[in-house]
Amino acid sequence: MTRTTYHHGDLHRVLIDAALELIAERGPNAVSLRDLARAAGVSHAAPAHHFGDKAGLFTAIATQGQLLLADRLAADLADGRDLRRLGASYVRFAADHPSHFEVMYRPDLYHQDDPDLAAARTRAGDLLRSAIPGDGRVADRRMLAAWSIAHGFATLRRTGNLDRLLAGSDPDTEFAEMAGLLDLTP
Amino acid sequence: MTRTTYHHGDLHRVLIDAALELIAERGPNAVSLRDLARAAGVSHAAPAHHFGDKAGLFTAIATQGQLLLADRLAADLADGRDLRRLGASYVRFAADHPSHFEVMYRPDLYHQDDPDLAAARTRAGDLLRSAIPGDGRVADRRMLAAWSIAHGFATLRRTGNLDRLLAGSDPDTEFAEMAGLLDLTP
DNA sequence: CCCGCTAACTTGTCGGTGACAAGATGAGTT
DNA sequence: AACTCATCTTGTCACCGACAAGTTAGCGGG
């Protein structure tokens, strides 16, 4: 990756994409700004200019992840509000965007008070909530159950804890059948 | 922490305890072997002697965590095998030992092929499995559901995602009621 | 008693990293 | 053509993990 121009032109995106790839392969710990800079063919300090600091990079990734998740939930909701299908969608999101998912749920990595991130998080959260039947405490409990089971499944799978349990079966259908054990009728 | 003797005598334990405290406060990323050494009043290379490398420290913590969890599950099982109570116990473990829990489910931090860790993990897993009613695929699905919902709840809580949802209510009873939505009757 | 063995710990050093400061470049505007 | 400012570079600092080589002391055998 050699450059003829002084300005890269698309560094922001390139850095994030390189980071996502690295995270998927070897986790967020393996990410160094200097590695990203080398991969992009820029100087070692260029990444910090775009993101302020390393946590800024992860903040950008977490925000992007929340928006991607929100988009997906919104698409699902357009087809009718079925909480269980939303859960399956959540699980598929974690599998399709492992790096985003990983960063999103590691608050120690990013700037928790970032306003853009807060807005993105709210958007995704509100969409999820809008799919819950019932109201008040009962609705809260249903949301809690659905979110917990989907998040737990996605997380345990990502960390390799379900390899033996899921051996030889399709994770998506397995999740669907498992989620069927949840009583969510109003 | 100044020492008069050359040998510390209890360094291994002291280092782990200091690490646990730091992880609880600021996450595993904030842990540096050199910080731990300073806190314990030993030279900067002493920690590496005990654990081989940084991942070795986290491996020790993950192993200790699996054993602690297994102990707790075993105590519960002695009182009768109720899967839902085991789930509540799992959630309480995550709250009581946040640092252990954190490390246990971050495979990128430790040596995944460590035999001691594998043994400890097997012990905890077998205990959990022994509480599942039914057999074969049905039992697998029940185990998956119970583990997922408990793990998801514990994880989301730890990352602060349930703060608003749980505001003003006791997390343990809230989990119990939520887990009641799971149909686990054989 | 002391000799030797070995685990526990120290000292010194290396390459790599994040953060910061100060400077160079050039695209866009007027 | 001059200005402006985001983009990117160069240089530097303290800190970190890993490694190599040396020092200390607990301990069992003679």
Side-chain angles (χ1 to χ4, degrees), chain A residues 2-120:
Chain A
T2 47
R3 230 170 350 126
T4 58
T5 60
Y6 187 86
H7 289 302
H8 183 287
D10 204 21
L11 231 203
H12 195 89
R13 174 184 308 273
V14 167
L15 289 174
I16 288 188
D17 289 349
L20 290 173
E21 216 167 303
L22 241 175
I23 294 169
E25 280 170 20
R26 305 196 280 125
N29 274 346
V31 174
S32 90
L33 295 183
R34 287 167 113 106
D35 254 357
L36 299 182
R38 276 187 285 274
V42 295
S43 80
H44 66 85
H49 169 74
H50 279 276
F51 301 104
D53 56 9
K54 198 177 180 179
L57 167 67
F58 287 121
T59 306
I61 290 176
T63 305
Q64 192 176 89
Q66 294 286 356
L67 293 177
L68 281 171
L69 175 60
D71 287 348
R72 202 173 273 221
L73 296 181
D76 266 16
L77 285 171
D79 295 346
R81 32 202 71 205
D82 174 15
L83 186 49
R84 254 188 282 275
R85 197 178 32 180
L86 228 56
S89 201
Y90 187 91
V91 169
R92 231 176 306 114
F93 171 81
D96 291 345
H97 301 280
S99 303
H100 286 104
F101 190 81
E102 171 88 6
V103 174
M104 283 161 65
Y105 292 102
R106 293 210 11 210
D108 55 314
L109 287 180
Y110 51 76
H111 293 130
Q112 296 179 246
D113 53 353
D114 184 85
D116 287 349
L117 174 56

Side-chain angles (χ1 to χ4, degrees), chain B residues 117-147:
Chain B
L117 174 56
R121 194 198 302 275
T122 299
R123 184 158 102 82
D126 286 352
L127 283 169
L128 176 55
R129 171 166 287 279
S130 77
I132 312 286
D135 57 352
R137 257 189 155 27
V138 181
D140 278 359
R141 192 160 300 146
R142 285 200 186 104
M143 173 158 171
L144 209 52
W147 193 5

Side-chain angles (χ1 to χ4, degrees), chain A residues 26-29 66 90 102 104-109 112 121-122 126 129 137 140-156 158-162 164-169 174-175 177-178 181-184, chain B residues 26-29 66 90 102 104-109 112 121-122 126 129 137 140-156 158-162 164-169 174-175 177-178 181-184:
Chain A
R26 305 196 280 125
N29 274 346
Q66 294 286 356
Y90 187 91
E102 171 88 6
M104 283 161 65
Y105 292 102
R106 293 210 11 210
D108 55 314
L109 287 180
Q112 296 179 246
R121 196 198 302 275
T122 300
D126 286 353
R129 171 166 287 278
R137 265 196 149 20
D140 278 358
R141 191 161 301 145
R142 284 198 187 106
M143 173 158 170
L144 209 52
W147 193 6
S148 290
I149 205 166
H151 188 79
F153 184 86
T155 305
L156 288 172
R158 259 193 21 73
T159 51
N161 284 94
L162 303 184
R164 267 205 307 173
L165 223 48
L166 291 180
S169 55
E174 197 66 29
F175 171 76
E177 301 209 14
M178 181 198 75
L181 298 178
L182 254 191
D183 176 21
L184 292 175
Chain B
R26 305 197 279 126
N29 274 345
Q66 294 285 356
Y90 188 92
E102 172 87 7
M104 284 161 65
Y105 291 103
R106 288 195 34 193
D108 55 315
L109 287 180
Q112 295 179 246
R121 194 198 302 275
T122 299
D126 286 352
R129 171 166 287 279
R137 257 189 155 27
D140 278 359
R141 192 160 300 146
R142 285 200 186 104
M143 173 158 171
L144 209 52
W147 193 5
S148 290
I149 203 167
H151 188 79
F153 184 86
T155 304
L156 288 171
R158 259 193 22 73
T159 50
N161 285 94
L162 303 183
R164 269 204 308 171
L165 223 47
L166 291 179
S169 55
E174 197 66 31
F175 171 77
E177 302 210 13
M178 181 198 76
L181 298 177
L182 254 191
D183 177 21
L184 292 176

Side-chain angles (χ1 to χ4, degrees), chain B residues 79-98:
Chain B
D79 293 347
R81 31 202 72 205
D82 174 16
L83 187 49
R84 256 190 280 275
R85 198 177 35 177
L86 228 57
S89 201
Y90 188 92
V91 169
R92 231 176 304 114
F93 170 81
D96 291 345
H97 301 280

Side-chain angles (χ1 to χ4, degrees), chain B residues 36-108:
Chain B
L36 298 182
R38 275 187 287 272
V42 295
S43 79
H44 65 85
H49 170 73
H50 280 277
F51 300 104
D53 57 9
K54 198 177 181 180
L57 166 67
F58 288 121
T59 305
I61 290 177
T63 305
Q64 192 177 90
Q66 294 285 356
L67 292 177
L68 282 171
L69 175 60
D71 287 348
R72 203 174 272 221
L73 296 181
D76 266 18
L77 285 171
D79 293 347
R81 31 202 72 205
D82 174 16
L83 187 49
R84 256 190 280 275
R85 198 177 35 177
L86 228 57
S89 201
Y90 188 92
V91 169
R92 231 176 304 114
F93 170 81
D96 291 345
H97 301 280
S99 303
H100 286 104
F101 190 81
E102 172 87 7
V103 174
M104 284 161 65
Y105 291 103
R106 288 195 34 193
D108 55 315

